[in-house]
């Protein structure tokens, strides 16, 4: 158990402890549920100033960890809140529209956008790779995730202005569904880091995928699945790179989805059986009725053929 | 003597208990935070709401802990119903660990039924769980009836009691509390409240880490002939309830998370998977 302070000796929590607890609940909210958790936490803490301090720290962490997707106010599309696009706490770069978006973390909305400055943008050379990959990935994401959004960021070497130097990209795919009336929420998040190695003429591809789902009608059941993988492809023209990288991502994500299916298929008959069987080893219901006839359990054990 | 702390609030149907806003918020948090983090969440709530600790502890089930009964060299399960002060009574030796003078004990008659229930339930547990630990505790009710708590803890991981070795990590905790009313016209009223908490993790390539964790609680009421024996009546109810809980976790709860995954990323047409009803 986490140590929330020495309550036994000091039943009054310090403000700092209260704030930490509030922050813990908020950052550990399931996908799509932070606003509900916030309402509960606010009521429990019963101190708006303290709650706001905790929320101001927790919401940005949650929004970035969950790759929350927000609509931009000028109808230019959606922006993903991710550490790759973070300019400062409230400002995020949207590479597709080349805009800087100001967000209200606690309300989870964009409040304004401005065009990015030249120094915030990658060089024309790098942008050519980024733009081509973004276009290919968009096609894949639209085809694959009904509510999916993707973004391609240049994370290193954005000022590289021609062949001969390495640079890195990060690809982020975020798809979430909230259905509170059906007590069900979930999200798919994948982050792909790409190292364009000019010297070796390869692109190293590393992926992290995470899928979570929460069903809570008269209960609380959560799926938390994650996987990592790596691959590589040849460094070619921006267009050819875009096609081969997005094919690599498509292949690995499809393979992962198939393995998730596999895990679910094995659940009822094999996996779950190691926790509790559907029927006893005898394949008939337990003979409770007979237990009356034997006052000594030794007799029951003998009758059932089970050694003690 | 705090033995009945949890039980007294369980007498009321959970829905009938008038909760104030704090308890409502606390319970909402408990159904949102991952069951894998349930213990941390509960300790945080207890720290925030010290005055509601007994209510919280009776409404929120915690993962079961075990202790070794040194005298009988057998493990037993801890819960509110075998606790007195900081010690827990073993159902095997009827002694408290750590030792406690004047620890509350069931009456001789109750103890006899408790011993019998422990022996029979251990066989039941072995047939369904192929391992694990079980403990049964009984105590007299304030009225003319009595109450019993049946506990099962199973480690289904391959390093534990998992026979098939499919689980990297796997825990199943079942808590069954039965209140038995006084006998009337040869029948008694049995009210069973059951909770199952589980977590299972599989690991491998290319599937990565796959974890499902859950907690559900259900209630069942029956009027049964006392002539059939209390243990038989309680056992049948528990067996039926465990079957139902296992089935709804498997079919409904796991099925819903699977449905969600397929909503996020629908499987390609042609190899459309079957969704559970």
């Amino acid at each position: 158990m986490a140590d929330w302070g020495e309550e036994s000796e000091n039943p009054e929590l310090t403000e700092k402890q209260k704030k930490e607890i509030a922050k813990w609940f908020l950052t550990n909210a399931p996908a799509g549920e932070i606003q509900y958790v916030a309402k509960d936490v606010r009521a429990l803490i019963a101190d708006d100033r303290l709650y706001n301090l905790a929320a101001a720290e927790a919401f940005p962490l949650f929004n970035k960890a969950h790759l929350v997707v927000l609509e931009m106010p000028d109808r230019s599309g959606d922006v993903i809140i991710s550490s790759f696009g973070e300019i400062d706490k409230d400002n995020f770069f949207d590479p597709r529209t080349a805009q800087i978006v100001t967000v209200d973390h606690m309300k989870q909305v964009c409040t304004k956008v401005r065009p990015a400055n030249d120094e915030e943008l990658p060089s024309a050379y790098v942008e050519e790779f980024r733009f081509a990959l973004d276009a290919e990935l968009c096609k894949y994401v639209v085809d694959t995730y009904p509510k999916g959004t993707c973004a391609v960021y240049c994370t290193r070497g954005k000022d590289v202005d021609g062949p001969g130097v390495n640079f890195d990209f990060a690809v982020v795919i975020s798809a979430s569904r909230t259905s509170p009336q059906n007590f069900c929420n979930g999200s798919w998040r994948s982050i792909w880091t790409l190292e364009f190695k000019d010297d070796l003429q390869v692109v190293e591809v590393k992926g992290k995928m995470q899928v979570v789902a929460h069903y809570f009608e008269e209960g609380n059941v959560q799926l938390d699945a994650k996987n990592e993988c790596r691959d590589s492809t040849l460094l070619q023209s921006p267009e050819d790179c875009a096609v081969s990288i997005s094919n690599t991502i498509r292949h690995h994500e499809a393979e992962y989805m198939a393995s998730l299916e596999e895990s679910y298929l094995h659940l009822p008959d094999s996996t779950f059986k190691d926790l509790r069987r559907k029927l006893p080893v005898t394949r008939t219901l337990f003979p409770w009725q007979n237990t009356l006839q034997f006052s000594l359990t030794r007799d029951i054990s003998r009758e059932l053929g089970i050694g003690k | 003597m705090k033995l009945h702390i949890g039980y007294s609030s369980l007498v009321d149907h959970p829905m009938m208990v008038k909760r104030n806003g704090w308890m409502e918020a606390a319970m909402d948090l408990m159904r949102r935070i991952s069951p894998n983090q349930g213990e941390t969440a509960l300790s945080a709530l207890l720290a925030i709401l010290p005055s509601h600790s007994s209510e919280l502890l009776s409404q929120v089930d915690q993962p079961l802990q075990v202790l070794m009964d040194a005298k009988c060299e057998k493990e037993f399960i801890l819960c509110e119903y075998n606790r007195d002060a900081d010690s827990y009574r073993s159902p095997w030796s009827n002694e408290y660990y750590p030792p406690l003078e004047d620890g509350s004990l069931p009456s001789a008659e109750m103890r006899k039924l408790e011993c019998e229930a422990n022996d029979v339930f251990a066989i039941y547990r072995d047939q369904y769980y192929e391992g694990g630990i079980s403990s049964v505790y009984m105590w007299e009710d304030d009225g003319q009836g009595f109450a019993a708590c049946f506990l099962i803890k199973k480690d289904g991981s391959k390093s534990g009691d998992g026979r098939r070795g499919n689980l990297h990590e796997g825990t199943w905790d079942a808590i069954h509390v039965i209140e038995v009313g006084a006998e009337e016209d040869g029948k008694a009223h049995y009210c069973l409240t059951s909770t199952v908490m589980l977590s299972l993790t599989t690991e491998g390539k290319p599937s990565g880490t796959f974890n499902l964790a859950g907690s559900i609680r259900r209630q069942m009421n029956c009027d049964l002939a006392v002539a059939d024996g209390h243990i038989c009546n309680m056992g049948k109810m528990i067996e039926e309830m465990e079957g139902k809980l296992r089935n709804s976790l498997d079919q409904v709860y796991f099925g819903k998370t699977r449905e969600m995954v397929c909503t996020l990323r629908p499987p390609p047409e042609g190899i459309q998977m079957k969704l559970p009803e």
Side-chain angles (χ1 to χ4, degrees), chain A residues 4 28 30 33 40 140 145 217-218 220 222 224 226-227 264 274 276-277 281 286 288-289 297, chain B residues 28 32-33 37 43 119 127-128 154 164 206 209 211 213 215 218 236 239 242 246 253 257 265:
Chain A
W4 300 112
N28 285 287
E33 294 178 40
D40 293 333
Y140 160 63
Y145 301 94
E217 185 169 18
E218 290 184 66
N220 178 2
Q222 309 205 6
D224 184 4
K226 44 188 106 158
N227 195 23
Y264 270 113
D274 269 350
R276 185 191 185 272
R277 301 170 59 95
V281 283
F286 190 76
W288 295 103
Q289 213 73 49
T297 36
Chain B
D28 188 60
R32 294 193 184 275
I33 295 296
Q37 292 171 312
S43 75
D119 290 340
Q127 291 201 356
Y128 273 101
K154 166 87 188 273
R164 290 148 204 92
T209 312
N211 171 257
S215 157
R218 294 286 185 273
K236 279 182 177 167
E239 184 174 22
E242 283 201 338
R246 187 196 188 279
Y253 285 83
T257 63
R265 188 188 158 108

Side-chain angles (χ1 to χ4, degrees), chain A residues 80 93-96 127 129-131 133-135 137 150-154 169-172 194:
Chain A
I80 298 178
F93 176 50
D94 178 50
R96 189 173 303 139
E127 178 59 17
F129 282 91
R130 200 209 62 79
F131 178 83
L133 179 56
D134 190 45
L137 278 168
C150 66
V152 182
Y153 302 89
C154 178
F169 282 178
V171 168
V172 172
L194 313 172

Side-chain angles (χ1 to χ4, degrees), chain B residues 39-94:
Chain B
E39 272 180 280
T40 311
L42 179 61
S43 75
L45 291 174
L46 288 170
I48 293 189
L49 300 174
S51 58
H52 290 66
S53 61
S54 62
E55 206 178 347
L56 277 168
L57 288 169
S58 73
Q59 299 289 331
V60 179
D61 293 295
Q62 304 165 76
L64 298 172
Q65 309 290 325
V66 295
L67 258 186
M68 181 57 96
D69 179 337
K71 194 171 172 188
C72 298
E73 294 182 332
K74 247 172 124 171
E75 283 179 308
F76 64 100
I77 304 176
L78 316 185
C79 69
E80 279 301 297
Y81 310 110
N82 66 331
R83 184 175 72 87
D84 195 347
D86 293 326
S87 295
Y88 294 88
R89 183 173 61 89
S90 162
W92 316 120
S93 63
N94 205 25

